[in-house]
Amino acid sequence: MKINQFGYVPTNHQQIINELTEIHFLNPANLKISDPMELYRDFLLEYYSQHASLTTRLEKIHNLMATETIDAATFTKATGSVSAKAFYNIGLQLLGFLDGLDFSLEAPFKGITQLGLPKPLNQSTMNRDQLIDAWYRLLNTRNKYGQLLIDYIAGKGYYQQLLNDSDFKIPLFFNGKAQAVFNTDKLIREVVYVESSLDSDHDGKRDLLKTNIIRPAETNEGYQAPVIFTADPYAQGMNEKWSEKFSHDNKRPLKRKQPNHLTYQDVEAQPSNVTPPKPRKINGRTTKTGETFTKFWSYSLNDYFLARGFTIVYSSGIGTKDSDGFRTTGTKAETLSATAVIEWLNGNRTAFTNRSDQIAIDAWWSSGSVGMTGRSYLGTLATEAAFTGVDGLKTSIVEAGLSDYYPYYRENGLVVAPDGDDADVLAEWTFSRQQTAGDYVQIKDAWLKHFKQMTHDQEHDTGSFNQFWDARNITKYNHTKADMLLVHGLNDWNVKTGQVWNSRNKLKTRDITQKLILHQGQHEYLNNFRSFDYTDLVNLWLSNKLFGIQNRVDDVMPDVIVQDNAHAETWHNYPDWGGSESTKRTFSLASLNNIKGNFSFSDQLPNQVFKHYTQHLNDWRNDLYSRQGTAMDNHCIRLLSDPLTHDITIDGQPTISLVAQTSSIVGQISVALVDYGEDQRLTEVPQTLVSQKILQGYHWRKDDLKEFLPQTNPTDFKRITEAHINMQNRQNSYRVDDVQPQTGYKLRFAFQPTFWHLLKGHQLGLVIYASDLVYTVHGNQAITYTLNLNDSTLEVPVLKS
């Protein structure tokens, strides 16, 4: 177990006194106490003050051990300075750590070091001021269940008893973070319909967008709340069964494409100049909505902020149930359906209480400051909105979001969409208007026409870039004013790392603050992990960006935080990702160890083997990478470096240059970088450590505690990154050239960016193959590929030591 904490704000002694006074651990009475031990006892009594009975509080303190033989209640009856050893023994127990399991009462400082907790004061005893500082730091330390101690006692009711005190502030901030002082028993849930500037279903009326609001009851008493907005196309329902019939089958041969001499100007999307319909007439105004809702799916990070004074808003956008319009998978129309909600929250757009009466309603309870959250499609829309520079959007927290739809569904002229997915399938999947029969019957023909056009324009058969995809390049026009927090999994093969790499590099041209967090998971949320204070960092971030609290988050939070793949529960901070902190290292492929001696390989497998692999993809990938002898031995080239004499870290985007030929008039090449070496590697899916242990507020939601843990059994290899290319697209993704059999062609293309720690003794591997049974088309064609390894190189960015 290791506790990593990046979100603590170093605070001077006077500010500590001010903040402890604001949360009532210090008060006019105990500020007069000069004896450190007496003040410490008062702190412990206050810690349990949600219990009205003094007897109960003393019983709780009796159950804490100050030393191996003396309990805390007995210990604090003395006077004078406080033993640091006793203080940290008690502190570790308050944090939930167990004597004899997590630490030892004989050696608490050793336990603190092993757990990665903040370094204790460097003396044997504490005076009054040192005690105050140490208590403040303890309250801002993460406990065994991944929560700050102050958040844990807030969930137990610490703040609840103080709400009626006239000098108690709401909202409240402690160490720069919003505190759980709002009453979640009385949250207000209401619905409005924001009028957009779109007519994406071409019915002659502006699209109305259903918007769900959850706001603190305190907003009815004059409190104006900042807003966390999540644009969630899935929230109103998904067409899982309907979309299945439109799925594409990638078990088909690679087809020859007609050569062309296209330039970017030939495939550049042209801006739409369609004039939207006139706005609806406003028939009156009100401050009360006419519709509410019961709980639907919500993001647990958003739930956490509901107890801290934020309003949470969800809107699914055009083409979803109870809204107007059509789904378009990534066009500007979807962007504008998200920014329309932000504009309303900022006072610059009209919303109505229902779909018919045209009674307007303002977001009168909103402070006008908006931040966006979300993962995947939700995070993509947060990126889209930010790049418009829309007023009112102060920040986007983007988890595994896209920056460009083409490299999500395509790569270098190849389809790389697994499970039959493509832009049209996603549009149908999220077109939840279809679930309302009375609505759908009126738009069915228009929707099917729109859907058919999408299927045609995406060119699933060719995989080439065209105007359809250029219109879905989210970062093409960059007007970002919002500060950005980007989060991505280094093992995410749904939204690959190239997406966040592209966003980050585009954002570097803007005068904003951006931060990056890279973890070892796949397509995962991070807000409930034991080893990393993600929720606290987001709290610090949003308290600054939306509340305007001067908590120095831009300085306190590292620019880049990366979870180490080689050591469990270990996180490091860096100045950049793939920047000047790394250097290029070039390998000649001929200099690597060719473990099977292959220079050519066939893409065609025996029929039974091919059938088995297509039904058991994990077996295929295992056999592809394994160096122990498998059915894939003659269908790939495996190259390995010598065992490393010291650790190295790949930092950025590797590139490969190959001279390759095919026996056919078509060809595709896939490559993978692999970490070889027997080791217990981390799981890519988090494991639940404890269920429902994280308290998000008093009488409020709970969350599971999770972690990426080492696998039970060691493995010999782990994929680091990979890449694919259509040999006909060796110039770029829209220019198509012919391929002649037995002719060598130089291919240069980039892997997905990574940050990967290879241990001493491990070997860096390169696996070269053709069809990827997970991502590319795979028709089991009788094609042989031959490589000239002497003229082929691998370029790897390596972190400087």
Side-chain angles (χ1 to χ4, degrees):
M1 185 194 314
K2 295 179 184 178
I3 307 294
N4 297 268
Q5 192 166 340
F6 294 91
Y8 175 73
V9 181
T11 307
N12 64 50
H13 181 67
Q14 186 55 54
Q15 181 63 23
I16 285 173
I17 289 176
N18 294 342
E19 292 188 27
L20 286 173
T21 301
E22 287 179 350
I23 69 168
H24 285 211
F25 267 104
L26 287 174
N27 54 60
N30 67 14
L31 276 169
K32 297 175 183 178
I33 297 174
S34 59
D35 182 78
M37 190 69 81
E38 184 182 353
L39 182 59
Y40 185 34
R41 184 178 181 86
D42 198 73
F43 281 163
L44 291 173
L45 287 169
E46 188 64 27
Y47 180 89
Y48 291 111
S49 60
Q50 68 269 30
H51 303 291
S53 166
L54 178 61
T55 301
T56 300
R57 289 189 238 173
L58 287 172
E59 286 175 354
K60 299 288 185 183
I61 299 171
H62 269 294
N63 285 329
L64 301 170
M65 295 301 292
T67 71
E68 299 94 309
T69 58
I70 303 173
D71 68 78
T74 302
F75 175 77
T76 55
K77 286 181 180 178
T79 59
S81 59
V82 177
S83 160
K85 178 180 177 181
F87 178 88
Y88 289 109
N89 269 332
I90 294 168
L92 284 166
Q93 292 166 80
L94 293 177
L95 292 169
F97 298 107
L98 301 179
D99 172 41
L101 180 64
D102 304 313
F103 79 103
S104 167
L105 287 168
E106 296 177 2
F109 303 113
K110 180 180 179 182
I112 287 171
T113 300
Q114 291 174 338
L115 292 167
L117 296 175
K119 187 177 180 180
L121 296 174
N122 189 27
Q123 63 272 321
S124 59
T125 60
M126 300 180 185
N127 62 29
R128 178 183 180 278
D129 287 351
Q130 291 167 337
L131 172 72
I132 290 172
D133 290 354
W135 184 255
Y136 177 86
R137 191 65 179 91
L138 179 65
L139 291 174
N140 286 293
T141 297
R142 284 163 60 79
N143 69 6
K144 187 174 181 176
Y145 305 108
Q147 274 195 292
L148 293 179
L149 186 57
I150 188 64
D151 281 349
Y152 174 76
I153 64 173
K156 290 291 188 179
Y158 176 77
Y159 288 131
Q160 197 68 21
Q161 55 171 332
L162 305 174
L163 292 178
N164 293 326
D165 290 2
S166 59
D167 62 342
F168 191 70
K169 297 180 179 179
I170 291 181
L172 177 69
F173 299 88
F174 190 63
N175 196 241
K177 305 171 191 72
Q179 297 298 290
V181 296
F182 286 79
N183 189 346
T184 51
D185 291 330
K186 297 181 179 179
L187 292 170
I188 298 165
R189 292 175 171 84
E190 54 194 7
V191 177
V192 301
Y193 293 85
V194 175
E195 186 180 54
S196 72
S197 298
L198 304 163
D199 180 18
S200 59
D201 53 11
H202 310 296
D203 66 352
K205 295 179 291 185
R206 292 191 175 207
D207 295 341
L208 291 177
L209 308 169
K210 182 179 183 180
T211 302
N212 293 310
I213 301 154
I214 312 173
R215 58 183 173 90
E218 290 82 352
T219 53
N220 278 351
E221 301 165 8
Y223 167 65
Q224 287 195 308
V227 181
I228 297 173
F229 168 43
T230 299
D232 181 3
Y234 304 114
Q236 293 296 124
M238 291 167 276
N239 297 337
E240 184 174 358
K241 293 297 183 182
W242 275 314
S243 64
E244 282 181 0
K245 64 181 180 181
F246 299 112
S247 182
H248 303 272
D249 186 5
N250 283 344
K251 195 166 68 174
R252 53 190 168 88
L254 180 67
K255 296 179 181 178
R256 176 183 179 271
K257 296 190 276 191
Q258 184 65 35
N260 63 50
H261 291 86
L262 294 177
T263 66
Y264 174 66
Q265 286 69 33
D266 297 317
V267 297
E268 184 176 13
Q270 300 305 312
S272 172
N273 56 6
V274 176
T275 302
K278 292 181 180 180
R280 289 168 174 78
K281 178 183 176 183
I282 296 175
N283 294 331
R285 290 189 174 275
T286 185
T287 59
K288 294 183 179 181
T289 62
E291 185 177 346
T292 186
F293 61 96
T294 56
K295 184 182 183 298
F296 62 104
W297 177 91
S298 59
Y299 177 19
S300 62
L301 182 68
N302 289 355
D303 290 342
Y304 165 89
F305 283 106
L306 276 168
R308 287 158 174 81
F310 294 80
T311 287
I312 307 300
V313 171
Y314 295 94
S315 185
S316 294
I318 52 172
T320 59
K321 188 177 180 181
D322 298 331
S323 293
D324 298 325
F326 291 154
R327 298 306 297 168
T328 60
T329 309
T331 65
K332 188 178 180 181
E334 289 187 356
T335 304
L336 294 178
S337 75
T339 58
V341 176
I342 297 168
E343 289 168 338
W344 175 68
L345 292 167
N346 195 38
N348 296 318
R349 185 167 288 279
T350 299
F352 298 104
T353 58
N354 58 47
R355 295 181 53 84
S356 304
D357 293 338
Q358 296 174 205
I359 304 298
I361 184 168
D362 295 328
W364 51 266
W365 38 261
S366 168
S367 71
S369 292
V370 182
M372 292 189 73
T373 60
R375 184 194 66 181
S376 197
Y377 207 159
L378 291 61
T380 301
L381 287 161
T383 302
E384 291 178 25
F387 270 74
T388 68
V390 60
D391 288 342
L393 183 64
K394 305 299 184 182
T395 184
S396 282
I397 300 172
V398 179
E399 301 184 65
L402 301 187
S403 58
D404 189 349
Y405 276 82
Y406 180 80
Y408 179 71
Y409 288 112
R410 309 282 187 268
E411 185 177 355
N412 298 317
L414 286 174
V415 171
V416 289
D419 303 322
D421 192 16
D422 213 333
D424 58 342
V425 178
L426 183 59
E428 170 61 28
W429 178 281
T430 55
F431 182 59
S432 51
R433 283 188 76 180
Q434 193 167 342
Q435 297 180 18
T436 304
D439 183 25
Y440 183 55
V441 71
Q442 301 176 60
I443 58 170
K444 180 178 179 179
D445 291 344
W447 163 253
L448 292 176
K449 180 181 178 181
H450 166 82
F451 183 82
K452 183 178 180 181
Q453 190 66 48
M454 278 191 69
T455 302
H456 173 270
D457 292 347
Q458 71 187 4
E459 290 193 33
H460 185 86
D461 283 343
T462 72
S464 291
F465 185 88
N466 60 14
Q467 289 185 344
F468 178 91
W469 296 110
D470 192 53
R472 288 161 173 79
N473 180 354
I474 295 163
T475 61
K476 180 178 177 180
Y477 302 107
N478 186 3
H479 306 289
T480 311
K481 297 184 295 188
D483 290 340
M484 303 290 286
L485 173 55
L486 308 177
V487 184
H488 216 97
L490 289 163
N491 288 291
D492 193 339
W493 291 97
N494 177 351
V495 178
K496 304 179 188 74
T497 54
Q499 298 286 348
V500 69
W501 175 267
N502 182 49
S503 287
R504 178 169 167 77
N505 288 331
K506 291 288 182 68
L507 290 169
K508 286 181 178 180
T509 67
R510 302 294 296 174
D511 185 21
I512 62 167
T513 297
Q514 65 155 311
K515 306 289 184 178
L516 173 67
I517 298 170
L518 298 172
H519 60 84
Q520 290 300 323
Q522 297 179 358
H523 210 52
E524 308 293 343
Y525 286 118
L526 272 191
N527 57 291
N528 52 1
F529 275 69
R530 177 174 68 188
S531 68
F532 181 52
D533 61 334
Y534 177 73
T535 300
D536 305 329
L537 283 169
V538 174
N539 190 336
L540 194 69
W541 183 264
L542 290 180
S543 293
N544 172 257
K545 308 305 175 187
L546 301 188
F547 273 111
I549 298 301
Q550 299 305 305
N551 54 22
R552 297 186 289 125
V553 65
D554 291 355
D555 300 320
V556 169
M557 187 174 179
D559 288 337
V560 178
I561 303 174
V562 183
Q563 185 184 14
D564 197 314
N565 60 278
H567 303 292
E569 301 186 80
T570 302
W571 300 73
H572 305 288
N573 59 284
Y574 299 93
D576 203 354
W577 179 32
S580 59
E581 80 288 352
S582 63
T583 186
K584 292 289 174 63
R585 182 174 174 182
T586 301
F587 298 86
S588 165
L589 299 197
S591 70
L592 299 174
N593 301 301
N594 191 330
I595 59 176
K596 292 298 178 182
N598 294 346
F599 294 93
S600 63
F601 57 89
S602 170
D603 196 35
Q604 188 172 51
L605 294 159
N607 286 333
Q608 284 303 112
V609 175
F610 179 72
K611 181 179 179 181
H612 173 82
Y613 280 157
T614 56
Q615 295 172 353
H616 302 87
L617 294 173
N618 286 337
D619 288 353
W620 168 74
R621 197 175 292 286
N622 180 80
D623 288 357
L624 173 67
Y625 299 150
S626 176
R627 50 182 171 175
Q628 303 305 320
T630 72
M632 287 297 296
D633 282 358
N634 295 321
H635 304 279
C636 66
I637 297 173
R638 303 189 192 100
L639 307 171
L640 274 73
S641 72
D642 291 333
L644 299 174
T645 57
H646 57 276
D647 289 14
I648 65 169
T649 299
I650 302 174
D651 170 29
Q653 188 165 40
T655 303
I656 193 163
S657 295
L658 297 175
V659 176
Q661 57 181 266
T662 169
S663 63
S664 177
I665 57 172
V666 296
Q668 61 181 334
I669 295 288
S670 300
V671 290
L673 282 183
V674 183
D675 177 357
Y676 284 98
E678 195 79 3
D679 214 337
Q680 283 183 285
R681 293 173 167 86
L682 297 182
T683 59
E684 298 174 3
V685 177
Q687 309 300 302
T688 298
L689 303 177
V690 188
S691 296
Q692 299 294 286
K693 196 67 176 181
I694 299 174
L695 308 178
Q696 296 188 320
Y698 181 64
H699 288 178
W700 186 225
R701 306 277 165 75
K702 297 180 179 180
D703 205 354
D704 297 337
L705 183 70
K706 296 187 176 184
E707 191 57 65
F708 298 116
L709 297 176
Q711 297 170 345
T712 303
N713 300 315
T715 57
D716 180 48
F717 53 83
K718 175 73 169 64
R719 172 184 54 177
I720 300 171
T721 182
E722 64 181 37
H724 313 274
I725 192 171
N726 189 324
M727 293 178 68
Q728 284 196 267
N729 289 91
R730 54 190 177 270
Q731 304 288 334
N732 54 54
S733 57
Y734 45 84
R735 162 83 179 259
V736 177
D737 293 304
D738 249 332
V739 168
Q740 299 297 330
Q742 314 305 337
T743 301
Y745 295 101
K746 188 166 186 177
L747 313 173
R748 181 176 173 82
F749 54 111
F751 291 84
Q752 294 297 322
T754 189
F755 201 107
W756 196 262
H757 182 184
L758 287 115
L759 294 171
K760 177 183 177 180
H762 283 214
Q763 294 170 273
L764 177 62
L766 174 67
V767 180
I768 305 169
Y769 55 110
S771 297
D772 190 308
L773 303 191
V774 176
Y775 289 106
T776 71
V777 296
H778 43 279
N780 208 31
Q781 291 165 277
I783 301 175
T784 297
Y785 295 87
T786 302
L787 272 76
N788 179 349
L789 299 183
N790 288 316
D791 292 332
S792 299
T793 57
L794 171 67
E795 199 173 80
V796 180
V798 176
L799 190 67
K800 297 174 184 175
S801 57

